[in-house]
Amino acid sequence: MKRHGDTTYRMHKALAAAGLSIDQHAIAAWRTGAKTPQSSTSLKVLGFIEHRYRLEAGYFTERMGRWRATGALSPKGISRSEARRLAWHLPDDFRDRGRREQAEILDWVRTRILAGGTAYRRYHSEVSRQRFGFRFDGNGAACLQAPPRLRAEMAALVRFKSATLTDIGFERSGVWGEATAMQRGEHLALMLGAMAAPADSAVKGLGVPAKDLTLGLLVFPAVWDWYVQWREQRRGFFTGWEAEMLLLAAALTRERTGWLRQSPALACDMPTVPGLVTEDMIVEAQADWAGACDVVHRHTLARAREVQRVARIHRDPFEPILPILESPSPVREYRRIAEDVLARMPDRRRHPRAAAEFVRAFLMLRFGLHLGLRQKNLRQLLLCRRNETPRTERELEALKRGELRWSMRDEGWEVFIPCAAFKNANSAYFSKRPFRLLLPDLGALYRWLDTYIEVDRGRLLAGARDPGVFFVKTVKRTSRSAEFTQSGFYEAWRLTIQRHGIYNPWTGRGAIKGLLSHGPHSVRDVLATHVLKQTGSYEQASYAIQDTPQTVAAHYGRFLPQDKAALAAKVLNEVWAA
């Protein structure tokens, strides 16, 4: 306005002449930064001002930060929570478009961005509304809390498989880590919850009273047959998940080392289950518990083979990131998302906390691309500042966490993680030694690291207790802890991909066309595939994600025949180039 010799009064008069009604004090507040344009009318006013000063369209909204210009874009008649999720992804003129076009935009955003876009994400979104799995941690709705008897039995199973030393008189084969114990517990909680769910509900369970449920019922083959077939009917086909559950049943009833086989006390007071478990079957199992375990052991092993033969893949881990994996340089393609985060960062002087969230999102992506860690190791990474003494390997081993620290020897930031912190701690990759990687000072990484550590991290904490981890949540009044949970970290990553990764044709924002929502684990696929395309070596690809060549070939690397042919042709074509 100063450059054009304009005043608030003349601006207001010109707006009124153009049919744009806005308070004169609002313009003054925009000039001082006291307020920010948020409504759809305000966005129209900005468009008029851009035209008045012969500026390119979007000049002000891009500098203002899209994260603020979302107040009144969402359609009427939807919840406030959905409106907040939708607003970022709607064009500024959404309210001015026809109803048919608005419906088309909403459907695209909900399907391709918010819901995830894949068939599995749509299925998961649908079934996740039906909550029936028991909770053993005391959280959640009271109706889903596991009864005391079941809670005690589950605690005994987890202790048996997780404790450093087994109880006297018990034998076991293999030990569950923290993540495995949690996963197995969740799987059994779903099975038991399905058995307790009413038959006439949407879940269509067995209707067994929760107080009568016991892990002893897992000794009957009919119970396992019902459960895997119940899952097949819900999904429409068998997957490897059902085969894994059957193998878990076989492990629990294995001779000498099976927990169920070594717990005959579970046979006491078992309920009948109409159509599955009769009184005679219970009496027979109580009389010969080992024989009953033998029967279910053989049965579940045979069933697992039958299921594996017809199992289909429901969740293709490559599908959401296919445009990246198909590019010649997957890492370079994924890097564009991080660059988009920086390009759209709001002014930190006016919006310091929002800018801090952008820096955190940028560093999440960069750390993922440099380190190739699993979500748990990245989320639990501790911070040691430049002037602090790093924790010893033994201290980190006890915590089962890694640490970001300043290396005086190499004069750079390094990540140090004891092998005990990894899911595959016994892998040949580690050979009982810790993981250490010096982060490269590329793309101004160290500058953003210092900014986050010294300024932005404190703004996110907002005076709350520091949990000591590098990545902290945006602390709110209702926050119990500043440390990310597993689901919280996943959602933070997914939100970044939704806003900066997925190209939106209606707004022109987003880095990559065809990309879908995904979590931090997908970066491991990107790194493994990138190394494979560059070198053709599964072994080198395994180095990028701290795993083995066999695991990369089975789960991570997307190395197609045309990629192999292109790599060979590159070598052979050098003859002709010479």
PDB file of all heavy atoms in Angstrom, residues 309-328:
ATOM      1  N   ARG A 309      -2.432 -71.339   1.154  1.00  0.00           N
ATOM      2  CA  ARG A 309      -2.574 -71.718  -0.263  1.00  0.00           C
ATOM      3  C   ARG A 309      -3.514 -70.770  -1.003  1.00  0.00           C
ATOM      4  O   ARG A 309      -3.302 -70.484  -2.184  1.00  0.00           O
ATOM      5  CB  ARG A 309      -3.091 -73.155  -0.354  1.00  0.00           C
ATOM      6  CG  ARG A 309      -3.250 -73.707  -1.772  1.00  0.00           C
ATOM      7  CD  ARG A 309      -3.672 -75.166  -1.738  1.00  0.00           C
ATOM      8  NE  ARG A 309      -4.894 -75.364  -0.974  1.00  0.00           N
ATOM      9  CZ  ARG A 309      -6.123 -75.189  -1.463  1.00  0.00           C
ATOM     10  NH1 ARG A 309      -6.277 -74.794  -2.711  1.00  0.00           N
ATOM     11  NH2 ARG A 309      -7.186 -75.391  -0.721  1.00  0.00           N
ATOM     12  N   VAL A 310      -4.539 -70.250  -0.319  1.00  0.00           N
ATOM     13  CA  VAL A 310      -5.543 -69.406  -0.981  1.00  0.00           C
ATOM     14  C   VAL A 310      -5.473 -67.945  -0.525  1.00  0.00           C
ATOM     15  O   VAL A 310      -6.272 -67.126  -0.975  1.00  0.00           O
ATOM     16  CB  VAL A 310      -6.959 -69.953  -0.728  1.00  0.00           C
ATOM     17  CG1 VAL A 310      -7.104 -71.340  -1.327  1.00  0.00           C
ATOM     18  CG2 VAL A 310      -7.278 -69.980   0.771  1.00  0.00           C
ATOM     19  N   ALA A 311      -4.544 -67.621   0.367  1.00  0.00           N
ATOM     20  CA  ALA A 311      -4.478 -66.257   0.918  1.00  0.00           C
ATOM     21  C   ALA A 311      -4.158 -65.248  -0.163  1.00  0.00           C
ATOM     22  O   ALA A 311      -3.379 -65.503  -1.082  1.00  0.00           O
ATOM     23  CB  ALA A 311      -3.429 -66.191   2.024  1.00  0.00           C
ATOM     24  N   ARG A 312      -4.781 -64.086  -0.051  1.00  0.00           N
ATOM     25  CA  ARG A 312      -4.543 -62.980  -0.975  1.00  0.00           C
ATOM     26  C   ARG A 312      -3.963 -61.799  -0.214  1.00  0.00           C
ATOM     27  O   ARG A 312      -4.118 -61.689   1.001  1.00  0.00           O
ATOM     28  CB  ARG A 312      -5.855 -62.561  -1.654  1.00  0.00           C
ATOM     29  CG  ARG A 312      -6.403 -63.603  -2.612  1.00  0.00           C
ATOM     30  CD  ARG A 312      -7.870 -63.353  -2.941  1.00  0.00           C
ATOM     31  NE  ARG A 312      -8.112 -61.989  -3.401  1.00  0.00           N
ATOM     32  CZ  ARG A 312      -9.339 -61.505  -3.682  1.00  0.00           C
ATOM     33  NH1 ARG A 312     -10.398 -62.274  -3.527  1.00  0.00           N
ATOM     34  NH2 ARG A 312      -9.487 -60.278  -4.095  1.00  0.00           N
ATOM     35  N   ILE A 313      -3.281 -60.924  -0.939  1.00  0.00           N
ATOM     36  CA  ILE A 313      -2.715 -59.723  -0.330  1.00  0.00           C
ATOM     37  C   ILE A 313      -3.780 -58.637  -0.335  1.00  0.00           C
ATOM     38  O   ILE A 313      -4.301 -58.269  -1.389  1.00  0.00           O
ATOM     39  CB  ILE A 313      -1.465 -59.246  -1.096  1.00  0.00           C
ATOM     40  CG1 ILE A 313      -0.351 -60.284  -0.991  1.00  0.00           C
ATOM     41  CG2 ILE A 313      -0.991 -57.906  -0.551  1.00  0.00           C
ATOM     42  CD1 ILE A 313       0.870 -59.943  -1.802  1.00  0.00           C
ATOM     43  N   HIS A 314      -4.111 -58.148   0.852  1.00  0.00           N
ATOM     44  CA  HIS A 314      -5.113 -57.082   0.945  1.00  0.00           C
ATOM     45  C   HIS A 314      -4.439 -55.720   1.034  1.00  0.00           C
ATOM     46  O   HIS A 314      -4.809 -54.794   0.320  1.00  0.00           O
ATOM     47  CB  HIS A 314      -6.012 -57.308   2.169  1.00  0.00           C
ATOM     48  CG  HIS A 314      -7.279 -56.515   2.104  1.00  0.00           C
ATOM     49  ND1 HIS A 314      -8.239 -56.534   3.089  1.00  0.00           N
ATOM     50  CD2 HIS A 314      -7.758 -55.670   1.159  1.00  0.00           C
ATOM     51  CE1 HIS A 314      -9.248 -55.738   2.753  1.00  0.00           C
ATOM     52  NE2 HIS A 314      -8.969 -55.195   1.598  1.00  0.00           N
ATOM     53  N   ARG A 315      -3.455 -55.611   1.884  1.00  0.00           N
ATOM     54  CA  ARG A 315      -2.751 -54.331   2.037  1.00  0.00           C
ATOM     55  C   ARG A 315      -1.423 -54.404   1.289  1.00  0.00           C
ATOM     56  O   ARG A 315      -0.453 -54.968   1.774  1.00  0.00           O
ATOM     57  CB  ARG A 315      -2.495 -54.028   3.518  1.00  0.00           C
ATOM     58  CG  ARG A 315      -1.939 -52.621   3.747  1.00  0.00           C
ATOM     59  CD  ARG A 315      -1.531 -52.437   5.187  1.00  0.00           C
ATOM     60  NE  ARG A 315      -0.337 -53.172   5.522  1.00  0.00           N
ATOM     61  CZ  ARG A 315       0.902 -52.706   5.350  1.00  0.00           C
ATOM     62  NH1 ARG A 315       1.096 -51.520   4.807  1.00  0.00           N
ATOM     63  NH2 ARG A 315       1.942 -53.441   5.705  1.00  0.00           N
ATOM     64  N   ASP A 316      -1.411 -53.850   0.089  1.00  0.00           N
ATOM     65  CA  ASP A 316      -0.177 -53.785  -0.679  1.00  0.00           C
ATOM     66  C   ASP A 316       0.624 -52.585  -0.187  1.00  0.00           C
ATOM     67  O   ASP A 316       0.229 -51.433  -0.407  1.00  0.00           O
ATOM     68  CB  ASP A 316      -0.498 -53.631  -2.169  1.00  0.00           C
ATOM     69  CG  ASP A 316       0.753 -53.594  -3.035  1.00  0.00           C
ATOM     70  OD1 ASP A 316       1.862 -53.649  -2.473  1.00  0.00           O
ATOM     71  OD2 ASP A 316       0.630 -53.522  -4.272  1.00  0.00           O
ATOM     72  N   PRO A 317       1.760 -52.795   0.493  1.00  0.00           N
ATOM     73  CA  PRO A 317       2.507 -51.663   1.061  1.00  0.00           C
ATOM     74  C   PRO A 317       3.074 -50.734  -0.002  1.00  0.00           C
ATOM     75  O   PRO A 317       3.416 -49.583   0.298  1.00  0.00           O
ATOM     76  CB  PRO A 317       3.627 -52.346   1.858  1.00  0.00           C
ATOM     77  CG  PRO A 317       3.793 -53.691   1.226  1.00  0.00           C
ATOM     78  CD  PRO A 317       2.425 -54.084   0.753  1.00  0.00           C
ATOM     79  N   PHE A 318       3.199 -51.216  -1.238  1.00  0.00           N
ATOM     80  CA  PHE A 318       3.762 -50.380  -2.296  1.00  0.00           C
ATOM     81  C   PHE A 318       2.722 -49.462  -2.949  1.00  0.00           C
ATOM     82  O   PHE A 318       3.078 -48.466  -3.570  1.00  0.00           O
ATOM     83  CB  PHE A 318       4.387 -51.248  -3.389  1.00  0.00           C
ATOM     84  CG  PHE A 318       5.544 -52.086  -2.912  1.00  0.00           C
ATOM     85  CD1 PHE A 318       5.802 -53.330  -3.464  1.00  0.00           C
ATOM     86  CD2 PHE A 318       6.385 -51.642  -1.917  1.00  0.00           C
ATOM     87  CE1 PHE A 318       6.865 -54.110  -3.032  1.00  0.00           C
ATOM     88  CE2 PHE A 318       7.452 -52.403  -1.466  1.00  0.00           C
ATOM     89  CZ  PHE A 318       7.698 -53.645  -2.032  1.00  0.00           C
ATOM     90  N   GLU A 319       1.444 -49.809  -2.825  1.00  0.00           N
ATOM     91  CA  GLU A 319       0.401 -49.076  -3.566  1.00  0.00           C
ATOM     92  C   GLU A 319       0.365 -47.580  -3.263  1.00  0.00           C
ATOM     93  O   GLU A 319       0.296 -46.765  -4.193  1.00  0.00           O
ATOM     94  CB  GLU A 319      -0.962 -49.713  -3.290  1.00  0.00           C
ATOM     95  CG  GLU A 319      -2.079 -49.121  -4.130  1.00  0.00           C
ATOM     96  CD  GLU A 319      -3.416 -49.814  -3.902  1.00  0.00           C
ATOM     97  OE1 GLU A 319      -3.480 -50.771  -3.099  1.00  0.00           O
ATOM     98  OE2 GLU A 319      -4.414 -49.396  -4.538  1.00  0.00           O
ATOM     99  N   PRO A 320       0.410 -47.142  -1.996  1.00  0.00           N
ATOM    100  CA  PRO A 320       0.323 -45.695  -1.745  1.00  0.00           C
ATOM    101  C   PRO A 320       1.503 -44.898  -2.306  1.00  0.00           C
ATOM    102  O   PRO A 320       1.354 -43.719  -2.616  1.00  0.00           O
ATOM    103  CB  PRO A 320       0.296 -45.609  -0.207  1.00  0.00           C
ATOM    104  CG  PRO A 320      -0.120 -46.959   0.256  1.00  0.00           C
ATOM    105  CD  PRO A 320       0.433 -47.907  -0.745  1.00  0.00           C
ATOM    106  N   ILE A 321       2.679 -45.536  -2.427  1.00  0.00           N
ATOM    107  CA  ILE A 321       3.880 -44.804  -2.844  1.00  0.00           C
ATOM    108  C   ILE A 321       4.354 -45.249  -4.230  1.00  0.00           C
ATOM    109  O   ILE A 321       5.507 -45.033  -4.589  1.00  0.00           O
ATOM    110  CB  ILE A 321       5.016 -44.989  -1.813  1.00  0.00           C
ATOM    111  CG1 ILE A 321       5.287 -46.476  -1.567  1.00  0.00           C
ATOM    112  CG2 ILE A 321       4.696 -44.278  -0.522  1.00  0.00           C
ATOM    113  CD1 ILE A 321       6.493 -46.744  -0.684  1.00  0.00           C
ATOM    114  N   LEU A 322       3.467 -45.839  -5.002  1.00  0.00           N
ATOM    115  CA  LEU A 322       3.840 -46.371  -6.312  1.00  0.00           C
ATOM    116  C   LEU A 322       4.453 -45.328  -7.236  1.00  0.00           C
ATOM    117  O   LEU A 322       5.458 -45.609  -7.915  1.00  0.00           O
ATOM    118  CB  LEU A 322       2.625 -47.026  -6.969  1.00  0.00           C
ATOM    119  CG  LEU A 322       2.910 -48.164  -7.947  1.00  0.00           C
ATOM    120  CD1 LEU A 322       3.761 -49.245  -7.305  1.00  0.00           C
ATOM    121  CD2 LEU A 322       1.600 -48.765  -8.453  1.00  0.00           C
ATOM    122  N   PRO A 323       3.916 -44.090  -7.318  1.00  0.00           N
ATOM    123  CA  PRO A 323       4.546 -43.086  -8.193  1.00  0.00           C
ATOM    124  C   PRO A 323       6.005 -42.810  -7.825  1.00  0.00           C
ATOM    125  O   PRO A 323       6.816 -42.494  -8.693  1.00  0.00           O
ATOM    126  CB  PRO A 323       3.677 -41.837  -7.986  1.00  0.00           C
ATOM    127  CG  PRO A 323       2.381 -42.350  -7.474  1.00  0.00           C
ATOM    128  CD  PRO A 323       2.716 -43.558  -6.659  1.00  0.00           C
ATOM    129  N   ILE A 324       6.335 -42.933  -6.539  1.00  0.00           N
ATOM    130  CA  ILE A 324       7.714 -42.700  -6.098  1.00  0.00           C
ATOM    131  C   ILE A 324       8.589 -43.890  -6.460  1.00  0.00           C
ATOM    132  O   ILE A 324       9.705 -43.729  -6.979  1.00  0.00           O
ATOM    133  CB  ILE A 324       7.743 -42.443  -4.583  1.00  0.00           C
ATOM    134  CG1 ILE A 324       7.054 -41.122  -4.266  1.00  0.00           C
ATOM    135  CG2 ILE A 324       9.174 -42.432  -4.057  1.00  0.00           C
ATOM    136  CD1 ILE A 324       6.888 -40.842  -2.792  1.00  0.00           C
ATOM    137  N   LEU A 325       8.097 -45.096  -6.195  1.00  0.00           N
ATOM    138  CA  LEU A 325       8.892 -46.300  -6.468  1.00  0.00           C
ATOM    139  C   LEU A 325       9.133 -46.488  -7.960  1.00  0.00           C
ATOM    140  O   LEU A 325      10.137 -47.090  -8.356  1.00  0.00           O
ATOM    141  CB  LEU A 325       8.177 -47.535  -5.900  1.00  0.00           C
ATOM    142  CG  LEU A 325       7.949 -47.547  -4.379  1.00  0.00           C
ATOM    143  CD1 LEU A 325       7.274 -48.842  -3.964  1.00  0.00           C
ATOM    144  CD2 LEU A 325       9.260 -47.367  -3.631  1.00  0.00           C
ATOM    145  N   GLU A 326       8.234 -45.994  -8.800  1.00  0.00           N
ATOM    146  CA  GLU A 326       8.387 -46.152 -10.248  1.00  0.00           C
ATOM    147  C   GLU A 326       9.320 -45.122 -10.862  1.00  0.00           C
ATOM    148  O   GLU A 326       9.705 -45.250 -12.031  1.00  0.00           O
ATOM    149  CB  GLU A 326       7.014 -46.072 -10.922  1.00  0.00           C
ATOM    150  CG  GLU A 326       6.129 -47.281 -10.634  1.00  0.00           C
ATOM    151  CD  GLU A 326       4.770 -47.173 -11.285  1.00  0.00           C
ATOM    152  OE1 GLU A 326       4.362 -46.023 -11.628  1.00  0.00           O
ATOM    153  OE2 GLU A 326       4.088 -48.197 -11.452  1.00  0.00           O
ATOM    154  N   SER A 327       9.702 -44.107 -10.103  1.00  0.00           N
ATOM    155  CA  SER A 327      10.607 -43.088 -10.642  1.00  0.00           C
ATOM    156  C   SER A 327      12.038 -43.629 -10.675  1.00  0.00           C
ATOM    157  O   SER A 327      12.385 -44.531  -9.915  1.00  0.00           O
ATOM    158  CB  SER A 327      10.544 -41.823  -9.786  1.00  0.00           C
ATOM    159  OG  SER A 327      11.117 -42.066  -8.522  1.00  0.00           O
ATOM    160  N   PRO A 328      12.896 -43.094 -11.554  1.00  0.00           N
ATOM    161  CA  PRO A 328      14.289 -43.564 -11.618  1.00  0.00           C
ATOM    162  C   PRO A 328      15.051 -43.377 -10.311  1.00  0.00           C
ATOM    163  O   PRO A 328      15.934 -44.158  -9.987  1.00  0.00           O
ATOM    164  CB  PRO A 328      14.892 -42.711 -12.741  1.00  0.00           C
ATOM    165  CG  PRO A 328      13.727 -42.232 -13.541  1.00  0.00           C
ATOM    166  CD  PRO A 328      12.609 -42.071 -12.568  1.00  0.00           C
TER     167      PRO A 328
END
